[in-house]
Amino acid sequence: MICENNTRVTEFVLLGFTNNPEMQVSLFVLFLLVYTDTLFGNFLIVSVTSVDPALHTPMYLFLRNLSLLEVCFTLVMVPKMLVDLVSPRKIISFVACGTQMYFFFFFGSSECFLLSMMAYDRFVAICNPLQYSVIMNRSLCWWMAIVSWMSGIPVSMLQTAWMMALPFCGPNTIDHFFCDGPPVLKLVTKDTTTYEMQALASTLLFIMFPFSLILVSYTRIITTILRMPSATGRQKAFSTCSSHLIVVSLFYGTASLTYLRPKSNQSPESKKLVSLSYTVITPMLNPIIYSLRNNEVKGAVKRTISRKVLQKLDLF
């Protein structure tokens, strides 16, 4: 379908959260603090897992990649969101909107697959500990990490190409704080049933498939843990995967509310809060979850800080 009289939309208006100037300033300060904490926490995880030899293991290789993904994921939405909160014109061009959507799908899909790789790592560590170092060798781990990153390319290309090829001939106001699929889809000026079926199919393939791998891995993990004769052994085994379970629950629990029901009856405000939770809040919480519940990470952070302090003292 071609728009009549060249009326195809060339830019979009992002409504964001509120039109109240005082509330916008408050939200700007709040989200800036959250974003700063997100960058600091994730870069700290990347730093300590790279520098500390005790953390040069498969689990922390995947954790390092997860933190890098979180940094990239938030970089797609949060800076633009912060600018819009203090800008009178909340405009994004058609091309920029498509670009933002592409990288949002890319990093989101990549994170889904990386979480499934992390689940497989915990499965091997708990269910086959004697063969762990042989199975999870350095070469395999790097290939798993690379595949996780690259897995986001097909779904992001397909979803973005399908979406941006649809006719946008009329309204251009997006009731959201970034170019997400469901709110942008509402602006299409023709029946979108076919696209919704395609989107649901790709969602089930690229999001629910890795989730099913996580479910299978943890079914086996829980079965193995329950068979352990020692309560101490069960507690230790569960503690090695509890952080990952929490992160998976936060990510999938909130994302599924949006993408498995793209045209649900939720209010726009509710959808914004759900999107905010997995685009802004969860990336901030992940480093906290892994550091607070992991003595190895806490020890590595202390050693890294101690080395930095000693290096500073040596300069005087």
Side-chain angles (χ1 to χ4, degrees):
M1 177 178 175
I2 300 175
C3 299
E4 297 180 359
N5 301 322
N6 295 320
T7 56
R8 184 174 176 83
V9 169
T10 58
E11 63 182 21
F12 296 103
V13 179
L14 294 167
L15 289 185
F17 297 98
T18 178
N19 291 322
N20 186 315
E22 293 182 357
M23 182 65 72
Q24 287 180 339
V25 173
S26 300
L27 289 175
F28 174 82
V29 174
L30 174 63
F31 291 148
L32 181 61
L33 291 174
V34 170
Y35 187 49
T36 303
D37 187 58
T38 299
L39 294 178
F40 175 78
N42 283 289
F43 277 127
L44 183 63
I45 293 290
V46 172
S47 176
V48 297
T49 56
S50 301
V51 173
D52 198 299
L55 301 185
H56 290 175
T57 62
M59 182 173 75
Y60 296 109
L61 169 66
F62 295 132
L63 178 57
R64 182 160 66 249
N65 278 271
L66 178 64
S67 291
L68 286 172
L69 268 176
E70 296 288 27
V71 170
C72 296
F73 189 60
T74 55
L75 189 63
V76 174
M77 291 86 61
V78 179
K80 171 63 176 169
M81 179 185 70
L82 291 173
V83 171
D84 285 346
L85 282 170
V86 293
S87 173
R89 296 184 73 251
K90 301 171 176 57
I91 303 296
I92 185 169
S93 70
F94 185 86
V95 174
C97 183
T99 303
Q100 187 182 59
M101 190 181 298
Y102 171 85
F103 284 106
F104 172 75
F105 287 141
F106 172 76
F107 292 121
S109 301
S110 298
E111 184 164 340
C112 290
F113 277 87
L114 183 61
L115 289 172
S116 69
M117 300 298 182
M118 297 174 76
Y120 178 74
D121 171 69
R122 293 299 83 207
F123 160 72
V124 177
I126 293 173
C127 300
N128 201 355
L130 298 179
Q131 296 294 318
Y132 179 73
S133 59
V134 177
I135 297 173
M136 300 300 294
N137 58 74
R138 183 179 179 85
S139 176
L140 177 63
C141 291
W142 275 108
W143 273 112
M144 290 170 68
I146 292 170
V147 168
S148 297
W149 282 84
M150 293 299 101
S151 65
I153 294 177
V155 65
S156 56
M157 290 185 66
L158 290 173
Q159 292 277 47
T160 307
W162 285 338
M163 176 74 77
M164 305 316 284
L166 295 172
F168 294 88
C169 305
N172 69 333
T173 301
I174 302 173
D175 195 0
H176 210 50
F177 60 93
F178 72 99
C179 286
D180 197 5
V184 173
L185 187 64
K186 291 182 177 180
L187 304 182
V188 176
T189 50
K190 78 165 193 176
D191 181 62
T192 59
T193 304
T194 302
Y195 172 80
E196 289 177 54
M197 293 175 63
Q198 293 170 334
L200 181 59
S202 62
T203 298
L204 292 174
L205 178 61
F206 290 100
I207 296 180
M208 298 312 295
F209 174 69
F211 183 65
S212 65
L213 295 179
I214 293 172
L215 285 179
V216 171
S217 295
Y218 273 103
T219 300
R220 295 289 302 276
I221 287 171
I222 292 172
T223 302
T224 301
I225 290 176
L226 293 176
R227 290 175 179 172
M228 292 180 177
S230 168
T232 303
R234 289 195 297 270
Q235 183 178 0
K236 184 178 179 180
F238 183 74
S239 66
T240 64
C241 56
S242 57
S243 297
H244 181 254
L245 265 177
I246 295 172
V247 170
V248 168
S249 301
L250 286 172
F251 182 80
Y252 274 98
T254 53
S256 62
L257 292 176
T258 299
Y259 296 102
L260 293 183
R261 298 189 304 165
K263 282 198 171 182
S264 66
N265 293 323
Q266 285 181 309
S267 67
E269 288 72 24
S270 298
K271 292 179 179 179
K272 291 174 192 177
L273 288 175
V274 172
S275 297
L276 191 68
S277 65
Y278 64 80
T279 58
V280 179
I281 306 301
T282 300
M284 179 197 68
L285 292 177
N286 286 353
I288 299 174
I289 293 169
Y290 274 101
S291 59
L292 288 180
R293 300 185 62 85
N294 192 307
N295 291 327
E296 290 180 323
V297 173
K298 287 191 287 187
V301 170
K302 291 177 182 178
R303 289 192 295 271
T304 301
I305 294 174
S306 298
R307 280 197 298 269
K308 294 294 183 182
V309 171
L310 291 174
Q311 289 174 0
K312 295 279 187 181
L313 292 175
D314 288 341
L315 295 176
F316 294 99

